[in-house]
Amino acid sequence: MNETVMFFDTTLRDGEQAPGYSMTQEEKLRMALQLEALGVDVIEAGFAIASPGDFESVKKIADAIKSSTVCSLSRALEKDIDAAAEAIKSAAKKRIHTFLATSDLHLRYKLKMTRDRALEQIKSMVAYARNKCPEIEFSAEDASRTDPDFLAKAIETAIDSGATIVNLPDTVGYATPEEIAAMVRNVKTRVPNIDKATISMHVHDDLGLAVANTLAGVMAGARQVECTICGIGERAGNAALEEIVMGLRTRKDFYHLSCNIKTEEIGRTARLLSSITGVKLFPSKAIVGKNAFAHESGIHQHGVLNNAETYEIMTPESVGVKKQDLVLGKHSGQHAFEDRLKALGYTTLSEKKITQLFAEFKRLADLKKDISDRDLVALVEAKGISAALDPEKSYQLESFVVNSGNKMTSTASITLRLGEETFQEVAIGTGPVFASIRAIEKLIKHPFSLDDYQIQAVTEHRDALGEVKVIISDSTGTYRGRGVSTDIVEGSILAALSAVNNMLAGSKAALSTGAASTYQHSFEGDMLGGGHTDK
């Protein structure tokens, strides 16, 4: 019989915890909507108790998602479970995911808890969660290093208390495929009530075995896999959703299993993640890297031309990778422009936003002859989505003049508009970008540091659109910004302004919610359920 494997995506929780992958509430919502379009069965929207911001993100996702189950993580503590239940209350389908470490190493050194006390905690907290939500998942953190007898007892207790999904995490990516399979078989054969629950796998990639270990668990009987887009996550990351999906699909003759993932959405989902976070996809990344379907070797090219199966075990189209872009130009109308945006996945833009973007598109079309899909994505991310703040309440670039040369100190004169007012400032620096950013800092009268600066050509040729990504920080946090232009200095100024506007909005929010730091401190200080959120 062809069984179905359920996909539990934790990009917005475990993945977002990884350095460089933090997202705003709006970005998380966009990512969640794309995960729903991808066909993910369960979206772990976040850790509601972690902070007021996390709580609001989970709540907004719960409000918006209709077909996927929305899940919030919680430690095995009443206050965590209460926060999770409240955050997902409006979801059409909901789940609370609670966890407790079960290995002797974690029990002794992290939780200061005996095995008997751990079983009591599992029993009471799973039952408490079950009274708050109809679907409960229990994770035995560090399951792969847990005594098999005790693991079986912990899983039995969780199921007796109301859990219908039991997760067996390889929390530190330590196990081998053979050990993972043995662990799953142990639970299947030694837990008397296992027929009342689905076994899930959550595997980390510290030794590069996350996908192999996940599939080993599936072959042994697990029917839910926990993963992230492109494998992002703590340390070396998680099992990559796209690799598991295409493994099951490409080798259906071996696994005899199916899933609900719409594989044609994989490429779009990976590109959205990269656009939101500013982290480029590794060219040789399996399934979604730009080289995944490239053939440079002459003998490979000859084989592919005669029969693609000689060197392609899947087609680019099967994962949503097109072989050619549809090119637009200055004579393209708004209808064609809007249709192309929808084809690229931008289906929720308002008419007003589309009109604004079309004006930007026309401006760009006057500067370069042909505009590809990659140009459009960069334009929309910089001008349409990332610039989500009210333009009347954020700084906009009015004009700039830069003088620079190899035998002079660079000077930048920047004019910004805020509502109906304009402001001008001049600054010097060791280069045109440095001088421009110093002028912006003087204009806004709010000090910040430039932590990262990246520039790349969106497409090829001399008229390529330049995409600039910056990360800045102040005392309230770290903020990303991006800008696109055929002029790299203008792109740099726009990127800096994008980050500055996010920073100023974030600083105001931080000042108005002073309880946030206390809330977070309380979370980090309470270790009963394990303060670390990496299962």
Side-chain angles (χ1 to χ4, degrees):
M1 184 174 66
N2 192 25
E3 296 183 68
T4 300
V5 176
M6 309 301 286
F7 274 76
F8 176 113
D9 184 277
T10 185
T11 299
L12 298 175
R13 201 278 300 168
D14 198 329
E16 203 247 354
Q17 290 176 192
Y21 286 98
S22 62
M23 305 179 202
T24 65
Q25 288 183 17
E26 182 211 0
E27 289 167 342
K28 288 182 181 180
L29 180 57
R30 288 175 56 213
M31 196 70 217
L33 290 169
Q34 179 55 36
L35 291 172
E36 183 178 38
L38 178 64
V40 164
D41 299 288
V42 184
I43 299 172
E44 188 165 51
F47 198 167
I49 193 70
S51 72
D54 275 21
F55 180 91
E56 286 302 318
S57 293
V58 176
K59 188 175 184 301
K60 286 185 177 181
I61 292 169
D63 291 342
I65 298 300
K66 304 306 179 188
S67 59
S68 301
T69 297
V70 177
C71 174
S72 177
L73 184 68
S74 76
R75 295 167 298 174
L77 295 170
E78 288 188 4
K79 65 176 183 177
D80 281 42
I81 293 167
D82 289 342
E86 182 64 25
I88 62 172
K89 183 169 62 175
S90 63
K93 293 187 284 186
K94 64 197 78 173
R95 178 188 297 183
I96 292 177
H97 181 192
T98 191
F99 71 96
L100 189 77
T102 53
S103 70
D104 289 333
L105 183 66
H106 279 238
L107 289 174
R108 180 178 178 184
Y109 292 103
K110 185 177 74 173
L111 302 181
K112 316 293 185 190
M113 188 182 289
T114 65
R115 288 185 177 184
D116 287 342
R117 178 71 184 88
L119 291 177
E120 291 173 8
Q121 191 77 5
I122 293 169
K123 180 180 179 179
S124 61
M125 289 300 99
V126 170
Y128 185 80
R130 181 62 184 79
N131 286 329
K132 298 278 184 177
C133 181
E135 188 169 278
I136 304 301
E137 175 173 343
F138 171 73
S139 279
E141 185 182 6
D142 207 26
S144 61
R145 295 191 293 176
T146 298
D147 172 69
D149 292 338
F150 183 64
L151 178 62
K153 187 62 178 174
I155 296 301
E156 180 183 357
T157 301
I159 296 172
D160 271 345
S161 304
T164 54
I165 304 96
V166 287
N167 185 35
L168 308 177
D170 183 24
T171 299
V172 293
Y174 181 75
T176 65
E178 292 79 6
E179 290 170 325
I180 291 290
M183 176 175 66
V184 174
R185 287 194 295 268
N186 171 66
V187 168
K188 285 193 70 176
T189 57
R190 298 180 64 183
V191 175
N193 54 2
I194 195 61
D195 60 309
K196 298 178 182 178
T198 298
I199 298 175
S200 180
M201 299 304 307
H202 180 115
V203 183
H204 279 262
D205 203 36
D206 297 71
L207 295 176
L209 293 171
V211 172
N213 280 343
T214 298
L215 290 171
V218 167
M219 286 297 289
R223 288 297 177 264
Q224 178 180 279
V225 293
E226 306 195 3
C227 44
T228 61
I229 303 302
C230 297
I232 68 170
E234 295 258 11
R235 304 184 313 280
N238 290 269
L241 178 145
E242 65 279 0
E243 295 178 25
I244 302 170
V245 170
M246 295 312 292
L248 293 176
R249 172 172 166 159
T250 306
R251 294 305 312 276
K252 199 163 187 175
D253 62 316
F254 178 78
Y255 293 107
H256 302 290
L257 295 166
S258 61
C259 67
N260 298 318
I261 298 296
K262 301 176 182 67
T263 62
E264 295 78 13
E265 293 288 333
I266 286 175
R268 181 181 296 169
T269 309
R271 290 192 296 271
L272 177 62
L273 177 67
S274 178
S275 294
I276 285 175
T277 62
V279 180
K280 290 182 66 176
L281 296 174
F282 180 57
S284 296
K285 170 71 180 68
I287 316 300
V288 295
K290 71 176 184 179
N291 292 344
F293 296 97
H295 304 280
E296 187 170 336
S297 164
I299 192 169
H300 283 208
Q301 291 173 345
H302 178 73
V304 169
L305 288 172
N306 284 287
N307 187 328
E309 291 184 7
T310 54
Y311 289 101
E312 285 185 357
I313 59 174
M314 66 194 99
T315 66
E317 292 81 7
S318 69
V319 295
V321 176
K322 299 186 307 302
K323 291 185 177 178
Q324 290 184 333
D325 282 346
L326 175 64
V327 177
L328 299 176
K330 66 179 182 179
H331 299 298
S332 300
Q334 184 165 338
H335 182 71
F337 174 75
E338 185 173 352
D339 283 349
R340 195 72 210 125
L341 291 184
K342 289 179 180 178
L344 290 170
Y346 298 106
T347 57
T348 59
L349 296 174
S350 67
E351 286 299 318
K352 180 180 178 182
K353 182 62 69 176
I354 290 172
T355 300
Q356 292 172 345
L357 285 169
F358 183 66
E360 292 288 346
F361 161 76
K362 283 293 191 180
R363 177 175 174 269
L364 177 60
D366 284 334
L367 298 174
K368 60 177 300 187
K369 182 178 179 181
D370 296 322
I371 299 177
S372 71
D373 286 352
R374 286 182 288 170
D375 290 319
L376 287 180
V377 169
L379 180 70
V380 175
E381 290 297 326
K383 302 285 187 178
I385 302 296
S386 298
L389 299 173
D390 184 350
E392 295 301 313
K393 298 179 181 178
S394 56
Y395 287 100
Q396 308 295 315
L397 176 63
E398 182 75 16
S399 64
F400 73 96
V401 177
V402 172
N403 293 312
S404 184
N406 66 332
K407 294 185 180 296
M408 63 180 291
T409 300
S410 296
T411 304
S413 173
I414 306 289
T415 303
L416 300 182
R417 184 176 68 256
L418 181 63
E420 298 298 322
E421 295 185 81
T422 59
F423 307 88
Q424 187 177 51
E425 190 59 79
V426 178
I428 60 173
T430 54
V433 173
F434 181 28
S436 299
I437 291 176
R438 288 191 67 181
I440 291 172
E441 186 176 31
K442 290 171 70 175
L443 277 164
I444 67 171
K445 298 179 174 59
H446 186 112
F448 61 88
S449 62
L450 179 64
D451 298 336
D452 192 28
Y453 174 90
Q454 298 177 34
I455 184 168
Q456 63 180 16
V458 175
T459 51
E460 299 76 26
H461 309 302
R462 295 182 181 182
D463 65 349
L465 190 65
E467 182 177 38
V468 181
K469 299 173 183 176
V470 303
I471 298 177
I472 66 173
S473 62
D474 67 356
S475 59
T476 65
T478 300
Y479 305 90
R480 290 194 304 269
R482 75 173 71 212
V484 294
S485 175
T486 53
D487 183 320
I488 60 172
V489 175
E490 181 181 34
S492 301
I493 294 170
L494 293 172
L497 275 180
S498 172
V500 160
N501 284 324
N502 288 329
M503 175 185 69
L504 295 177
S507 298
K508 291 174 184 176
L511 290 172
S512 64
T513 55
S517 60
T518 304
Y519 197 57
Q520 180 70 15
H521 178 75
S522 172
F523 161 67
E524 292 172 344
D526 187 349
M527 294 296 289
L528 177 58
H532 189 46
T533 65
D534 173 16
K535 305 183 302 304

